């Protein structure tokens, strides 16, 4: 009997955790993070060697996807699940983002800054790897 009760409790705990992750994914999507990253990609593409655009795009998209996943995890860990759910509901009704604060703003900001720095360095490496000779020469000038 104890095993059955424990199993049921674990099932519901997993479901609640999964639901919060889905809510965090929706919240990040509503924030427009993916669109912002796509905008950055469009600004970078003219500097990429035309023969290497497909390779660049594949790597860029993988880095962007990982960033969104990591950012979503940070939101999931650092924001109140009820506030996220309420913000998503308001966005669905009005298309207006609700500003909510993380549980520990200073810690969250530190984690976000570290994540952004890491992704920024990776993106810079991609640009250096795939940039055209002309773009590299212009950057040096």
């Amino acid at each position: 009997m104890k095993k059955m009760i424990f199993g049921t409790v674990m099932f519901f705990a997993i479901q609640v955790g999964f639901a919060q992750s889905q809510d965090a994914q929706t919240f990040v999507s509503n924030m427009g993070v993916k669109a912002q990253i796509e905008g950055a990609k469009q600004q970078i593409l003219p500097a990429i060697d035309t023969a290497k655009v497909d390779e660049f795009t594949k790597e860029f998209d993988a880095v962007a996807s990982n960033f969104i996943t990591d950012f979503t995890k940070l939101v999931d860990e650092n924001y109140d699940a009820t506030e996220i759910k309420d913000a998503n509901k308001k966005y669905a009704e009005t298309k207006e983002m609700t500003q909510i604060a993380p549980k520990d703003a200073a810690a969250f900001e530190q984690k976000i800054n570290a994540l952004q720095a890491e992704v920024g360095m990776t993106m810079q490496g991609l640009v250096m790897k795939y940039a055209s000779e002309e773009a590299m020469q212009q950057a040096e000038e």
Side-chain angles (χ1 to χ4, degrees):
M1 184 68 171
K2 285 183 181 179
K3 287 182 181 180
M4 188 174 98
I5 291 171
F6 181 72
T8 303
V9 169
M10 288 303 295
F11 173 77
F12 285 116
I14 290 169
Q15 292 301 314
V16 168
F18 179 73
Q20 185 176 358
S21 294
Q22 288 295 110
D23 288 337
Q25 288 175 358
T26 301
F27 185 74
V28 170
S29 176
N30 292 345
M31 290 175 69
V33 172
K34 189 172 184 175
Q36 291 173 2
I37 293 171
E38 186 61 32
K41 178 177 158 185
Q42 295 307 314
Q43 290 178 346
I44 295 169
L45 279 173
I48 303 303
D49 186 332
T50 55
K52 299 177 182 177
V53 168
D54 289 340
E55 295 169 41
F56 168 79
T57 298
K58 184 177 179 180
E59 284 193 52
F60 183 98
D61 290 348
V63 170
S65 178
N66 288 337
F67 172 78
I68 291 170
T69 298
D70 292 345
F71 183 72
T72 300
K73 286 178 186 175
L74 288 177
V75 167
D76 197 28
E77 294 167 356
N78 291 279
Y79 283 80
D80 180 78
T82 304
E83 289 180 352
I84 291 172
K85 189 174 285 231
D86 291 345
N88 288 341
K89 183 178 178 184
K90 181 179 177 190
Y91 185 84
E93 294 169 355
T94 65
K95 299 297 182 213
E96 293 178 20
M97 277 302 294
T98 301
Q99 296 297 319
I100 57 176
K103 297 171 192 171
D104 182 347
F108 181 71
E109 183 177 348
Q110 194 173 38
K111 292 173 185 176
I112 289 296
N113 288 340
L115 178 60
Q116 288 176 331
E118 179 183 331
V119 170
M121 293 298 291
T122 303
M123 293 294 185
Q124 185 177 6
L126 286 177
V127 171
M128 298 293 289
K129 180 178 177 180
Y130 292 109
S132 67
E133 289 292 324
E134 183 180 301
M136 293 298 286
Q137 288 174 351
Q138 287 178 353
E140 290 177 5
E141 294 175 359

